[in-house]
Amino acid sequence: MDLGIDLAVIGGTGLYQLAELEDVEPHQPVTRYGALSGPVRVGTLDGRRVAFLARHGEGHSVPPHRVNYRANLAALQALGARQVLALNTVGGITERFGPRVLACPDQLIDYTWGRVSTFSEEEGSDLLHIDFGDPYTPALRRRVLDAAAAAGVMLVDGGCYGATQGPRLETRAEIVRLRRDGCDLVGMTGMPEASLARELGLDYACLAIVANWAAGAGPQVDEVITFQHVLDNVAAASSGIPPLLRALLAA
Ligand code: HPA
């Protein structure tokens, strides 16, 4: 059922709804890949059609390694989405990516394992070797950055997202290694979502919300990261998201 969706937004930890959406209707398409994380809420924002899906479920019950990334993306595509903006809550590793920063990364490194990471899995399905040199769609990234500038929302341009398995947070040694590898941000849900979107031919960009310094990366090296701390910082940083979305949809 093509609902003519202008933009699909996938919300991460601490972002379970888009309160600004109007005339919202829930949709739960059946896909051949099984159940999605929850209903896709389709509504309007300034007259444009927007779909929202909470990646971890609306009650945050689906851990990162159990998210059915294939079903989520296939469902958004079935509803008519062509452009996906992924909101990902992350930890910051390098100086420019402190808590409450919004960033639009341009690279990623995948450290996840054991996740179903391709649509080429089934017997008889096409074997896809997608180009993934630029894991995020450059044109959509550009539009997100321009929208942030137009809306006066601070957004860091670029950065490398390290996708870890979770659900535990990292050790300090793991973060030292990620930094050495060139990662600026660390999160648990960036992959395989980005590559699956590419396999489907969807435009896909990441809006990363820095919730905390990654283990050992901040000024207080032995700081303990609590979930409440993560949620508080996501709530504070999220105020920039609705104006950014409005500018993106208006462009
Ligand atoms: N590590 C991994 N994922 C995260 C973090 C982190 O420090 N903070 C929020 N999501």
Side-chain angles (χ1 to χ4, degrees):
M1 189 197 333
D2 190 329
L3 301 175
I5 290 167
D6 296 299
L7 181 69
V9 179
I10 302 179
T13 298
L15 296 159
Y16 308 113
Q17 57 163 343
L18 260 189
E20 291 72 21
L21 279 191
E22 292 172 345
D23 305 322
V24 181
E25 283 187 358
H27 292 267
Q28 201 136 2
V30 175
T31 78
R32 56 184 292 210
Y33 305 105
L36 350 182
S37 297
V40 181
R41 302 210 178 264
V42 180
T44 54
L45 186 60
D46 295 345
R48 309 297 300 274
R49 303 283 284 162
V50 174
F52 182 86
L53 173 61
R55 186 186 286 113
H56 298 285
E58 292 177 346
H60 196 103
S61 53
V62 189
H65 61 293
R66 305 276 315 259
V67 171
N68 192 340
Y69 297 96
R70 295 201 303 176
N72 287 352
L73 289 166
L76 293 174
Q77 187 174 50
L79 291 172
R82 302 286 174 264
Q83 317 237 324
V84 177
L85 182 63
L87 310 182
N88 294 87
T89 299
V90 298
I93 299 176
T94 52
E95 309 75 65
R96 287 194 304 156
F97 300 89
R100 304 191 177 190
V101 161
L102 297 178
C104 190
D106 60 351
Q107 276 299 325
L108 67 76
I109 298 179
D110 186 9
Y111 301 92
T112 66
W113 48 268
R115 302 182 181 189
V116 182
S117 57
T118 176
F119 286 102
S120 295
E121 193 73 13
E122 281 73 26
E123 198 73 32
S125 58
D126 291 341
L127 174 54
L128 303 165
H129 290 293
I130 50 161
D131 178 275
F132 205 46
D134 274 316
Y136 304 109
T137 308
L140 182 57
R141 279 195 72 250
R142 185 71 263 149
R143 286 181 47 217
V144 171
L145 290 160
D146 290 347
V153 175
M154 290 277 287
L155 180 63
V156 177
D157 177 0
C160 180
Y161 179 118
T164 54
Q165 179 69 357
R168 65 168 177 82
L169 296 166
E170 298 72 34
T171 65
R172 289 199 286 269
E174 286 169 333
I175 295 301
V176 169
R177 172 191 171 206
L178 262 69
R179 184 197 292 268
R180 203 163 54 224
D181 284 355
C183 296
D184 300 292
L185 304 162
V186 56
M188 304 173 191
T189 52
M191 282 295 284
E193 202 174 81
S195 57
L196 289 169
R198 179 68 51 82
E199 285 191 356
L200 289 179
L202 296 166
D203 287 344
Y204 182 93
C206 166
L207 180 60
I209 301 142
V210 184
N212 54 278
W213 284 114
Q220 190 198 324
V221 170
D222 60 354
E223 183 187 5
V224 173
I225 304 161
T226 66
F227 197 58
Q228 193 54 50
H229 179 67
V230 166
L231 293 180
D232 290 348
N233 278 334
V234 173
S238 296
S239 60
I241 292 174
L244 193 158
L245 288 180
R246 288 200 147 98
L248 182 61
L249 290 164

